[in-house]
Amino acid sequence: MQLGMFMMPLHPPEKDRTQCFEEDIELVTRADELGFTEIWVGQHHTVAWEPIPSNDLFIANVLPRTKNVRLGTGVSILPQHHPVNVAVRLAFLDHLSRGRLNCGFGQGGVATDWGLFDLPDPQTQGLMTVEAIDMILKLWQTNAPFNFEGDFWHIKIEHRDAKDGMGELLKPYQKPHPPLAMSVIRGDSKAARMSGQRGYIPISTNLVPANTLADHLKKRGNHLLTVRYGGYHAAFILANQLRKLGNLP
């Protein structure tokens, strides 16, 4: 049996931040010692309960403290970052981990985070997320010169000088790229369909109704390859709900 963990993480708002981060580091290192297969780390900027604003920096910190566990961004909130920054930072992290990195992407769901970055409505953020994923994949798999022009970002390197090393972009350690995941809340969402169609790992949460978790499975149909649900109790809730639906013994 393989065990994984999703950590937002959760801490009382009044708790000392440094102590919170030290406890999170200890939790990850202990999980690695116990044989956990993977750990996903959340990211928010304005939530006192979930104080990690940069999950890639946290992963970089725990990498040398762990040996086997795979570490994933759960998720990188793409409308709040430029696709180039996400692509090169995760590629760099993949090399530092020697291929122990999973990459989770999503649009985020915290209104105060949206306001902090002056982001548009959630539907537009969803379109930004899809465009960012596509651009990140192109950056990981394309050598310059290139010109990627979307509705929200324009990314280009017009000239590449291989002799002098100019115009070279770092590619991931894993080929063609690390395993990809998407955050999914509603079973009928575009993210749910996209994760199934593209074979991405769906990351859900224990903060949605149990029947919604079960719906995530039903909506994917034949596209479902792997399901890994975030949240401390989500797996048990999901199993119970599927039994009620007659999909589990």
Side-chain angles (χ1 to χ4, degrees), residues 32 102 240 244:
D32 180 57
N102 293 336
N240 289 334
K244 292 178 183 178

Side-chain angles (χ1 to χ4, degrees), residues 11-64:
H11 294 285
E14 67 276 7
K15 194 171 185 178
D16 177 76
R17 299 290 91 172
T18 302
Q19 181 182 351
C20 293
F21 301 143
E22 290 175 348
E23 290 177 358
D24 294 333
I25 292 169
E26 182 181 359
L27 177 63
V28 171
T29 55
R30 183 59 175 153
D32 180 57
E33 293 169 357
L34 291 172
F36 275 63
T37 303
E38 61 185 19
I39 297 175
W40 299 83
V41 184
Q43 173 189 66
H44 286 300
H45 288 84
T46 63
V47 183
W49 289 89
E50 305 171 33
I52 290 183
S54 180
N55 45 20
D56 59 339
L57 284 179
F58 179 84
I59 290 172
N61 182 283
V62 298
L63 272 175

Side-chain angles (χ1 to χ4, degrees), residues 90-188:
L90 292 180
F92 182 35
L93 197 55
D94 195 32
H95 282 273
L96 293 178
S97 72
R98 288 188 173 270
R100 282 198 284 138
L101 181 69
N102 293 336
C103 296
F105 299 134
Q107 74 177 67
V110 177
T112 48
D113 281 358
W114 303 342
L116 180 67
F117 290 92
D118 193 25
L119 292 171
D121 61 275
Q123 183 176 359
T124 304
Q125 290 184 58
L127 298 175
M128 294 173 70
T129 300
V130 173
E131 181 175 303
I133 292 174
D134 290 340
M135 285 194 168
I136 290 167
L137 292 176
K138 288 178 181 178
L139 291 169
W140 282 347
Q141 300 176 53
T142 307
N143 292 321
F146 53 70
N147 188 345
F148 308 141
E149 188 165 2
D151 294 325
F152 307 102
W153 291 283
H154 185 194
I155 299 172
K156 63 180 179 179
I157 296 180
E158 295 180 332
H159 305 287
R160 174 172 176 254
D161 189 335
K163 180 180 178 181
D164 294 332
M166 304 300 292
E168 298 285 345
L169 209 63
L170 184 65
K171 303 294 193 295
Y173 179 90
Q174 299 174 82
K175 303 302 179 188
H177 52 69
L180 303 182
M182 282 193 74
S183 58
V184 175
I185 300 299
R186 299 196 331 271
D188 61 348

